[in-house]
Amino acid sequence: DAGVIQSPRHEVTEMGQEVTLRCKPISGHDYLFWYRQTMMRGLELLIYFNNNVPIDDSGMPEDRFSAKMPNASFSTLKIQPSEPRDSAVYFCASSTTPGQGIYEQYFGPGTRLTVT
Amino acid sequence: QKEVEQNSGPLSVPEGAIASLNCTYSDRVSQSFFWYRQYSGKSPELIMSIYSNGDKEDGRFTAQLNKASQYVSLLIRDSQPSDSATYLCAVNAGGYQKVTFGTGTKLQVIP
């Protein structure tokens, strides 16, 4: 089975430009998470969805960031306008509601974003 | 106080030795605990999950959980150079999908 798919794998853009990151969760998973990882702050949860509905967006750093999940197999994270401090690796992860209550998340390969 | 704390390392062990990685957490209602392995430049990979007090073994890996002490550990037996990576501890508060990650411990296995 295919894992979590993310695109692009690398993105280099100039400050002020719009950036859109894409994610396809594992088929059948009903939870989707967006994380950001930097050396300084580690792995931070930005937002997560359940059945395409945003549940917790308290980690979204500011209004420049937005995320959508129009259907069960696709999500986007958009940054507009981008700034150099947004440079990081952005991961998407998915999980499903298990019978025994352990929520195991599986990560995609990530998108390395560089804003110059 | 950080919610999930790990020693950043690096932890250096010789090949064939047991590597012991530790993690403490602050939220007493935490119910599920996870260990992820992350190679440099790669994404986190789930290697163990545990939710009951005691030990859980999977191959060369053993996760240990002590809820009273709010402590979870990962033991890697017969460490191999391929085990060299950063190990992330993650904690779930129960009832929710949200997990909190520690900053990771870098493990170096010396041939």
Side-chain angles (χ1 to χ4, degrees), chain B residues 13-61:
Chain B
V13 300
E15 183 175 355
I18 296 175
S20 178
L21 305 165
N22 304 314
C23 173
T24 58
Y25 59 94
S26 60
D27 190 345
R28 286 194 169 272
V29 302
S30 299
Q31 294 188 3
S32 303
F33 307 85
F34 309 90
W35 284 100
Y36 285 81
R37 177 177 62 198
Q38 187 173 25
Y39 292 113
S40 180
K42 301 296 185 181
S43 60
E45 174 192 8
L46 179 66
I47 56 173
M48 290 286 285
S49 60
I50 185 169
Y51 63 98
S52 297
N53 275 325
D55 295 358
K56 179 181 178 181
E57 186 174 318
D58 184 1
R60 295 186 298 111
F61 299 100

Side-chain angles (χ1 to χ4, degrees), chain A residues 31 33 35 37 41-43 45 48 56 58 91 95-98 100-110 112, chain B residues 32-34 36 38 41-46 48-51 56 88 92 94-99 101-103:
Chain A
Y31 284 85
F33 306 80
Y35 290 90
Q37 187 175 42
R41 301 174 67 90
L43 196 59
L45 177 66
Y48 77 93
D56 184 346
S58 60
F91 290 107
S95 71
T96 188
T97 306
Q100 63 184 10
I102 297 183
Y103 303 100
E104 297 180 344
Q105 296 183 20
Y106 297 90
F107 282 74
R112 182 173 297 275
Chain B
S32 303
F33 307 85
F34 309 90
Y36 285 81
Q38 187 173 25
K42 301 296 185 181
S43 60
E45 174 192 8
L46 179 66
M48 290 286 285
S49 60
I50 185 169
Y51 63 98
K56 179 181 178 181
L88 302 170
N92 170 265
Y96 304 95
Q97 282 276 354
K98 186 175 179 177
V99 299
F101 283 84
T103 53

Side-chain angles (χ1 to χ4, degrees), chain A residues 63-100:
Chain A
D63 292 345
R64 297 184 298 106
F65 286 70
S66 63
K68 294 182 179 179
M69 192 167 185
N71 58 62
S73 59
F74 183 66
S75 177
T76 60
L77 178 67
K78 186 175 293 186
I79 308 173
Q80 166 64 19
S82 58
E83 297 183 2
R85 58 193 169 115
D86 301 330
S87 297
V89 181
Y90 290 80
F91 290 107
C92 177
S94 71
S95 71
T96 188
T97 306
Q100 63 184 10

